[in-house]
Amino acid sequence: MSQLRTKGKSTIVWILMGLMVLGLGGFGVTSFSGGTTEVASVGQTKITADEYARALKSELRAFQQQTGQPITMQQAQAMGLPQSVQANLIASAALAEEARRIGVSVGDAQVAQTIMQAGAFQGPNGSFDRAAYAEVLRRERLSEAEFEATVRDDEARLMLQRAVVGGVTAPAPLVDQTARWLLESRDFSWRELTEDDLPAAVTEPDEATLQAWHEANGDRFTAPETRAISYAWATPDMLSATVQLDEAALRATYDQNIDQFQRPARRMVSRLVFPDAAQAEAARAQIDANEAPFESFVLQRGLTLDDVDLGEVTAAQLGAAAEPVFALEQPGVVGPIQTDLGPALFAVNAILDPVDVPFEEARDDLRAEAALSAAARLIRDRTGDYEDILAGGATLEDLAEETELELGRIDWTADAPAEEGSIAGYEAFRERAAQISTTDFPQLAELADGGVFALRLDEVIPPTLRPFEEVRDAVLADWREAEVQRQLLAAAAELRLAEVAETVTPTPEDGADPAADTPWTAQTGLQRSDWMDGLPPQLLSQAFALTEPGDADVVDAGDRVFVVRLDQINDADLSQSDAAQVLDGVRARLDQSLQIDLFDYYARHAQRQTPVQLNQSAINAINAQVQ
């Protein structure tokens, strides 16, 4: 089935089915040559510079939309995108030449219908707009005759395609067999082996064995590249203690943020308005009797909980409902209460106590916050001075001596977690540390919290095998894990040969208890696409790799070992209603695959039979201009 999926991506068919997209989707590209310069020819069929430029621009735009990243022409050439566009255009031209050679063409009515149905030429009402048609062609520097000739060629190619693949369908036995393969289910049993199942405990290795393991698996015990970096930095947090703040400034900050320190009592409230008091009273009675919750009446009215949510409200905002709502000592429902909108029930969802933090209590927090802001402003104001000092040839040591910046040193590796408060915790530092070379001069850069830093790469220590004595515990743990896995696989192989063929899964027909204590776990009716929660996918795939009931296999899932035994193969029943959709999907996919293959062969034959000429200088000129 994976082959069926990949066949659907044939370049040839994409070109044929997307010719109008290629011709119309590229509008907006500046004309390179007025359509006169040829970049290639296939027999008597020409590929113009404008056609190539539009196709190339469209391909670049599609790539950028897929990746979300801009792409330069140099990057596109490195990936072979221009060559792919040329190949597609040549394939299309070869088919156009074949259509011309055998006399396949379409009439004016078909050309007109295709143009009038093109989305690029439709107006606001969804129908063909003559003015839009003329404007698009003018912008592309195409005459109506030139464009209509292109459409005629496109339609001729599509006619060729329909003639070649029309009526091609997959044989019914192939469709049925594929659907049966997909819908087949299996019953199987599995057993996981753990270290407890080994006949003897894993013996500890001697030093020679561990040292040999250390040498043979050196990549697991190799320290990554380390960069010895010196840096000078300053952050608002580092300088906040030195900032002088007067009482008036702190009082002003307190007054500006008074809502954080002085707030009245609030309630989180929902309000549901009823058409009349009787309905409101009836709803309240059911709520009090625990027959229905408040939320059910909201849903009955066709509303959502967001529709009736008032959020945090004060007593002043609730009006007549304030007294009963605020009288509640815990969440609940009050009402009905007459409001401007009618009788309503109020659901109190949370009780928020008043906030009263006097200036004296808030002073310390205010000072810390204000000091950070002042320190950030200080660093920002001094940034020019720091840059001038570095530009004058000063070292990081000089910079730290003359300014507030502090000197530091770190042995940095890209994958190591940063320590608390370390400069390595900043993304800006990590990016710069990864890029800098030993020949680079220190340059000032900003940190996310308003700080600044400059760094120097003193030394690059390449990946180095750690000494055995330093990593002995890790070597032992690694050896032991591998040895346990090896012994488990050996034990599983013995179990497969010695026990599985004789093991019978208890069934009710045998008169045995299917829930009897057994190390085997039975799975029934699983298909290839199913998922076994908590188990590796290799277990299911190997169960379907077995061919006869009673066959067994060992499953090596990396860090887990299983033995799986096939108990029964359940053939698919294609007469079931749920199989119809699978049959339709398989039939459509196989039909498409066969049609693609057939037309692909035909298109390749047409290319081989027709001489191709390239104007490489014209292609290079267009590649240089496309941005």
Side-chain angles (χ1 to χ4, degrees):
M1 292 305 292
S2 64
Q3 291 181 345
L4 298 181
R5 289 191 290 270
T6 56
K7 288 291 185 183
K9 299 179 181 177
S10 168
T11 301
I12 300 298
V13 173
W14 179 86
I15 283 295
L16 291 173
M17 301 306 293
L19 285 171
M20 290 305 297
V21 176
L22 184 66
L24 301 179
F27 285 139
V29 179
T30 303
S31 178
F32 284 80
S33 60
T36 58
T37 300
E38 299 171 8
V39 297
S41 64
V42 183
Q44 298 182 29
T45 301
K46 316 298 181 183
I47 301 173
T48 68
D50 273 351
E51 290 172 339
Y52 174 59
R54 277 194 293 268
L56 181 58
K57 194 76 172 181
S58 179
E59 184 73 9
L60 294 176
R61 187 163 51 245
F63 183 87
Q64 291 173 356
Q65 290 173 349
Q66 291 174 0
T67 62
Q69 298 291 331
I71 180 174
T72 66
M73 193 60 200
Q74 291 75 15
Q75 292 171 326
Q77 289 176 316
M79 290 185 290
L81 291 184
Q83 293 84 348
S84 175
V85 170
Q86 295 163 30
N88 293 340
L89 290 175
I90 290 172
S92 178
L95 293 168
E97 177 65 12
E98 180 72 3
R100 185 202 63 78
R101 186 183 64 80
I102 63 178
V104 174
S105 185
V106 297
D108 292 343
Q110 180 61 46
V111 172
Q113 180 181 1
T114 300
I115 292 175
M116 294 182 71
Q117 292 177 350
F121 306 137
Q122 292 180 357
N125 60 357
S127 60
F128 177 75
D129 189 326
R130 189 70 177 74
Y133 178 58
E135 172 58 25
V136 171
L137 295 188
R138 183 197 64 77
R139 190 166 62 243
E140 290 304 307
R141 301 183 185 179
L142 287 171
S143 67
E144 292 187 10
E146 290 172 334
F147 179 70
E148 288 163 8
T150 300
V151 174
R152 195 181 306 276
D153 290 343
D154 293 346
E155 290 296 322
R157 285 189 285 262
L158 292 173
M159 185 180 295
L160 260 185
Q161 180 190 10
R162 288 191 290 268
V164 172
V165 305
V168 175
T169 58
L174 177 60
V175 174
D176 289 349
Q177 183 64 23
T178 304
R180 291 182 190 279
W181 184 86
L182 288 171
L183 295 175
E184 172 193 288
S185 67
R186 296 196 170 193
D187 301 343
F188 60 91
S189 301
W190 58 268
R191 174 180 174 180
E192 181 174 9
L193 275 67
T194 66
E195 188 173 354
D196 293 337
D197 296 310
L198 295 178
V202 176
T203 58
E204 292 297 311
D206 55 27
E207 291 300 297
T209 300
L210 287 181
Q211 289 181 358
W213 187 263
H214 174 255
E215 295 175 2
N217 300 277
D219 57 319
R220 304 181 194 176
F221 312 109
T222 297
E225 177 186 274
T226 301
R227 304 189 135 213
I229 294 174
S230 296
Y231 60 90
W233 70 320
T235 67
D237 187 60
M238 292 164 59
L239 301 183
S240 61
T242 64
V243 174
Q244 299 297 322
L245 296 171
D246 57 28
E247 194 78 359
L250 296 179
R251 173 65 73 173
T253 302
Y254 177 84
D255 293 339
Q256 291 170 3
N257 300 276
I258 192 63
D259 290 343
Q260 299 179 19
F261 306 107
Q262 299 290 332
R263 279 181 288 178
R266 289 146 294 132
R267 300 291 186 268
M268 298 187 69
V269 175
S270 297
R271 178 187 62 191
L272 180 60
V273 180
F274 290 83
D276 53 57
Q279 294 186 38
E281 291 284 1
R284 175 63 189 274
Q286 293 185 55
I287 294 172
D288 290 344
N290 291 324
E291 296 177 359
F294 175 84
E295 292 77 12
S296 66
F297 296 99
V298 175
L299 300 178
Q300 290 175 15
R301 302 289 302 280
L303 302 173
T304 67
L305 296 180
D306 288 340
D307 293 332
V308 300
D309 184 23
L310 299 181
E312 294 184 17
V313 294
T314 63
Q317 293 173 309
L318 285 175
E323 183 176 350
V325 166
F326 275 77
L328 286 179
E329 297 182 355
Q330 60 184 3
V333 177
V334 298
I337 299 172
Q338 188 63 39
T339 69
D340 294 341
L341 301 176
L345 295 181
F346 288 80
V348 179
N349 303 312
I351 296 174
L352 305 177
D353 295 329
V355 176
D356 183 13
V357 180
F359 171 73
E360 291 71 20
E361 292 183 14
R363 181 188 289 108
D364 290 343
D365 291 337
L366 286 171
R367 190 196 184 289
E369 183 178 347
L372 285 174
S373 298
R377 289 193 300 271
L378 173 64
I379 293 172
R380 186 168 58 250
D381 293 342
R382 294 290 311 276
T383 295
D385 296 336
Y386 306 149
E387 291 175 336
D388 290 343
I389 294 172
L390 289 174
T395 64
L396 295 179
E397 290 77 8
D398 296 334
L399 180 63
E401 185 176 345
E402 297 178 25
T403 68
E404 302 86 359
L405 274 66
E406 296 181 6
L407 191 66
R409 189 181 182 283
I410 185 173
D411 290 331
W412 180 79
T413 58
D415 298 330
E419 296 180 3
E420 183 70 25
S422 169
I423 191 173
Y426 291 88
E427 180 65 26
F429 173 85
R430 294 194 299 271
E431 290 180 358
R432 180 64 178 154
Q435 298 169 359
I436 193 171
S437 69
T438 53
T439 59
D440 291 337
F441 291 100
Q443 293 182 344
L444 202 69
E446 294 184 0
L447 297 170
D449 60 359
V452 294
F453 73 98
L455 58 81
R456 178 184 67 231
L457 179 60
D458 298 325
E459 183 185 5
V460 177
I461 303 172
T464 306
L465 180 64
R466 292 189 175 101
F468 172 75
E469 294 74 14
E470 180 182 319
V471 293
R472 184 188 182 284
D473 291 344
V475 173
L476 174 59
D478 190 70
W479 177 90
R480 193 178 190 287
E481 180 180 347
E483 179 64 15
V484 168
Q485 186 75 0
R486 185 190 68 79
Q487 293 191 25
L488 285 176
L489 290 172
E494 292 180 5
L495 176 63
R496 170 181 175 272
L497 294 173
E499 296 183 22
V500 175
E502 301 177 4
T503 302
V504 177
T505 304
T507 62
E509 290 76 9
D510 297 328
D513 180 8
D517 186 20
T518 172
W520 294 87
T521 300
Q523 305 281 170
T524 59
L526 266 67
Q527 295 181 344
R528 284 178 169 84
S529 58
D530 286 333
W531 173 260
M532 301 172 66
D533 190 33
L535 296 172
Q538 297 96 317
L539 183 60
L540 183 62
S541 63
Q542 287 190 234
F544 275 88
L546 299 173
T547 57
E548 296 292 336
D551 287 352
D553 201 1
V554 176
V555 180
D556 182 357
D559 57 348
R560 301 173 71 180
V561 174
F562 300 82
V563 178
V564 60
R565 181 189 64 234
L566 178 60
D567 297 327
Q568 183 174 327
I569 298 176
N570 307 309
D571 292 335
D573 184 359
L574 298 186
S575 64
Q576 296 293 324
S577 58
D578 56 354
Q581 185 176 1
V582 175
L583 279 167
D584 290 343
V586 168
R587 186 178 298 107
R589 185 62 60 85
L590 289 173
D591 288 350
Q592 182 188 44
S593 179
L594 290 173
Q595 292 168 4
I596 287 171
D597 282 344
L598 181 60
F599 194 73
D600 190 46
Y601 297 144
Y602 178 80
R604 293 178 185 276
H605 173 76
Q607 285 184 259
R608 287 193 295 267
Q609 298 303 309
T610 311
V612 177
Q613 294 183 343
L614 289 178
N615 184 347
Q616 193 60 51
S617 61
I619 292 175
N620 293 340
I622 294 174
N623 290 346
Q625 294 180 58
V626 171
Q627 301 295 330

